[in-house]
Amino acid sequence: MTDRHNKAVAEIAANVRQFYDRKEKFRIFHGSTNSTRPSDTLRDNVIDLSGLDCVLNVNTKARTVLVEPNVPMDRLVQTTLKYGLVPPVVMEFPGITVGGGYAGTSGESSSFKHGFFDRTINSVEMVLANGEIVVASDHEKADLFHGAAGAAGSLGVTTLVELRLEEAKAYVEITYLPVKSTSEAIRKCQEVTTDPKLDYVDGILYSKKQGVIITGRLTNDLDPSLNLQRFSRAKDPWFFLHVQNAASQSDPTMEVIPLWDYLFRYDRGAFWVGKYGFKYFLIPFNRFTRWLLDGVLRTRMMYKALHASGYSKQFVVQDLALPYSTVEQFVVQDLALPYSTVEQFVDYTDETFGIYPLWLCPLRQSPLPTLHPHSSESEADEKSQLPLINIGLWGPGSTNSDAFVQVNRGLEHKLQEFGGTKWLYAHTYYTEAEFWRIYDRKWYDALRAKYDATSLPSVWEKVKVKVEVPSWPSKLLSFWPICGIWGLLCALWSGHYRLAWESQWESIEEKDRMG
């Protein structure tokens, strides 16, 4: 398998070198995406990485895994759990790939402890823009190793990752802590993230006056007094709906969730934005319809439908983890802020957007400079950076295109005012000058020059919104319900719904799932 990998990388490097010699920029084809940005990839400017999709080796002694970039989270976890190991940070959407987690920004419920996904990586193999194959780590080309994290592939092509693993447990013991205000939610996050016994922390605000902070602890012990709850099967509840029951309680409640179900608990319904698909197709949103349509309500299917429908190419779309176009434009933004301004920012989003639920996820910052979300606030020693909270703002916006763009521009400006930054997996409306006031251009340009990456599209070129007048076919496709039907048909044709149904994990007996 290693020989196959080396041969494939050598071929990729040769193709990259040809683009370099011709002074042409290229884009990377992965075979799938969890970004909502429309792709500029053309057939004649593509480096195809879709074949780099294997787990090469799991080293149980060193607790590491050697994995190619196009391996998705569910297949990675399924492989490592056979050895009783699990990645410290696992993205909640099973189709997100290892390479995407490194080149993008992935902060999950374990990131209060471990930081972003790339902070759990030991080393990466990369093909530079001039075709040279290099290895980068904390000890070798450390500037490239840290700079390429979150740089959207603008410093080179990642072809192999060595990822750290930790001991897996069969279950996650969950505690649901109801909160009655944003300020209480913030205080609770600050409190629980200092507990060394906890492995996972996130939260959901259902309104300014109702929410739940969710803590998790890995365990092999199944307490008979606690409910064992699953979320991965069609008959199971959607996680956010299940948690909402705990929000109405006056005291904390506890239960146990199998590890696999916990890690991918938000897959069905893509957190909660899948409910808008029911509204679009005028389908009742209830337990029976969610069970009936479960196959098309997994995140892989939803992303496939989004891009297949062409809806992601419409310039008014900010970001949508939902495959179905509606007359409403959708705001889907992940925003990181210091604890000190979270309450003010939630007040602003409540007044401006009125979108709920909101996702809360405490984060450990990466060292500066970085292209990850960051804040300049630091601890009293002026060296250690203060933690952040990720706010997931995902829901319907204005029906007027111009108003929609303006309100998103306002969101970007307000975020800066409160000392926060946004994820770059979505559209950004920043001008180039605005973008580089947020990120360290001198540092980034120096890396691009040092590693011959100036022939690649820059990170701003990759993430900026291209405001265009839609073509007539695009306009026709945007009419209800043509866009939704076309996207759904394309997603069904892709067969991605079978990936969940055919998961080997679902067929393994509970007692035999690990080790």
Side-chain angles (χ1 to χ4, degrees), residues 34 69 181 224 235 262 326 378 493:
N34 279 271
S181 67
K235 65 180 182 180
Y262 175 81
T326 73
S378 60
W493 182 258

Side-chain angles (χ1 to χ4, degrees), residues 189-263:
C189 279
Q190 289 176 308
E191 175 187 324
V192 298
T193 51
T194 62
D195 186 346
K197 296 178 181 178
L198 294 179
D199 298 292
Y200 306 103
V201 175
D202 69 334
I204 302 174
L205 281 181
Y206 294 93
S207 72
K208 287 178 65 176
K209 297 182 178 181
Q210 186 184 66
V212 179
I213 302 303
I214 308 156
T215 68
R217 182 180 66 87
L218 288 164
T219 180
N220 282 321
D221 300 323
L222 186 58
D223 188 333
S225 68
L226 297 179
N227 176 53
L228 178 63
Q229 181 63 56
R230 295 192 61 189
F231 296 102
S232 60
R233 302 168 300 183
K235 65 180 182 180
D236 296 326
W238 285 11
F239 185 69
F240 94 95
L241 293 173
H242 179 76
V243 174
Q244 194 165 15
N245 296 326
S248 61
Q249 305 297 315
S250 57
D251 297 315
T253 55
M254 296 178 66
E255 65 184 4
V256 176
I257 304 173
L259 179 58
W260 177 273
D261 290 66
Y262 175 81
L263 293 176

Side-chain angles (χ1 to χ4, degrees), residues 112-129:
F112 78 96
K113 177 181 287 189
H114 300 288
F116 295 112
F117 175 75
D118 64 277
R119 302 296 292 168
T120 67
I121 292 175
N122 285 338
S123 64
V124 295
E125 177 188 74
M126 295 181 67
V127 176
L128 301 182

Side-chain angles (χ1 to χ4, degrees), residues 408-469:
N408 277 285
R409 289 285 286 153
L411 174 66
E412 292 177 340
H413 292 146
K414 187 62 68 171
L415 184 63
Q416 286 184 266
E417 180 183 323
F418 288 129
T421 45
K422 62 191 283 187
W423 267 243
L424 298 178
Y425 71 86
H427 292 177
T428 62
Y429 289 90
Y430 297 122
T431 65
E432 188 170 14
E434 289 171 337
F435 184 87
W436 290 116
R437 281 198 291 269
I438 300 168
Y439 302 97
D440 189 334
R441 184 167 194 170
K442 183 178 179 180
W443 160 77
Y444 176 74
D445 283 349
L447 279 177
R448 297 251 295 170
K450 179 177 179 180
Y451 291 104
D452 260 332
T454 54
S455 61
L456 300 175
S458 73
V459 63
W460 179 76
E461 289 177 307
K462 286 198 165 194
V463 303
K464 67 178 180 178
V465 165
K466 297 175 178 62
V467 179
E468 301 172 348
V469 177

Side-chain angles (χ1 to χ4, degrees), residues 197-435:
K197 296 178 181 178
L198 294 179
D199 298 292
Y200 306 103
V201 175
D202 69 334
I204 302 174
L205 281 181
Y206 294 93
S207 72
K208 287 178 65 176
K209 297 182 178 181
Q210 186 184 66
V212 179
I213 302 303
I214 308 156
T215 68
R217 182 180 66 87
L218 288 164
T219 180
N220 282 321
D221 300 323
L222 186 58
D223 188 333
S225 68
L226 297 179
N227 176 53
L228 178 63
Q229 181 63 56
R230 295 192 61 189
F231 296 102
S232 60
R233 302 168 300 183
K235 65 180 182 180
D236 296 326
W238 285 11
F239 185 69
F240 94 95
L241 293 173
H242 179 76
V243 174
Q244 194 165 15
N245 296 326
S248 61
Q249 305 297 315
S250 57
D251 297 315
T253 55
M254 296 178 66
E255 65 184 4
V256 176
I257 304 173
L259 179 58
W260 177 273
D261 290 66
Y262 175 81
L263 293 176
F264 302 118
R265 65 201 180 281
Y266 290 117
D267 178 40
R268 296 170 58 245
F271 282 87
W272 39 81
V273 295
K275 68 180 182 180
Y276 298 111
F278 289 82
K279 179 181 177 182
Y280 177 85
F281 283 111
L282 307 179
I283 297 172
F285 183 67
N286 56 47
R287 185 173 180 177
F288 173 74
T289 55
R290 290 192 294 274
W291 168 81
L292 183 67
L293 299 172
D294 183 72
V296 298
L297 291 167
R298 309 272 178 151
T299 49
R300 275 191 177 96
M301 287 287 287
M302 298 170 81
Y303 278 110
K304 182 67 177 179
L306 169 66
H307 288 281
S309 68
Y311 193 48
S312 66
K313 293 184 173 65
Q314 296 182 36
F315 76 95
V316 293
V317 177
Q318 174 67 2
D319 177 21
L320 182 60
L322 173 69
Y324 317 114
S325 172
T326 73
V327 293
E328 296 172 310
Q329 313 308 329
F330 276 77
V331 177
V332 176
Q333 286 284 2
D334 277 284
L335 315 149
L337 295 104
Y339 278 83
S340 60
T341 61
V342 169
E343 185 174 7
Q344 295 170 275
F345 190 76
V346 170
D347 287 342
Y348 161 76
T349 61
D350 178 81
E351 183 177 321
T352 305
F353 298 95
I355 292 174
Y356 290 98
L358 299 176
W359 190 47
L360 304 179
C361 184
L363 305 166
R364 173 183 285 185
Q365 284 202 66
S366 293
L368 296 174
T370 181
L371 289 166
H372 286 317
H374 59 275
S375 170
S376 58
E377 288 194 7
S378 60
E379 300 280 7
D381 62 8
E382 297 185 354
K383 295 179 181 179
S384 306
Q385 293 170 278
L386 288 171
L388 302 173
I389 286 189
N390 170 202
I391 298 177
L393 179 70
W394 314 314
S398 173
T399 59
N400 179 275
S401 298
D402 292 335
F404 179 80
V405 172
Q406 288 304 312
V407 78
N408 277 285
R409 289 285 286 153
L411 174 66
E412 292 177 340
H413 292 146
K414 187 62 68 171
L415 184 63
Q416 286 184 266
E417 180 183 323
F418 288 129
T421 45
K422 62 191 283 187
W423 267 243
L424 298 178
Y425 71 86
H427 292 177
T428 62
Y429 289 90
Y430 297 122
T431 65
E432 188 170 14
E434 289 171 337
F435 184 87

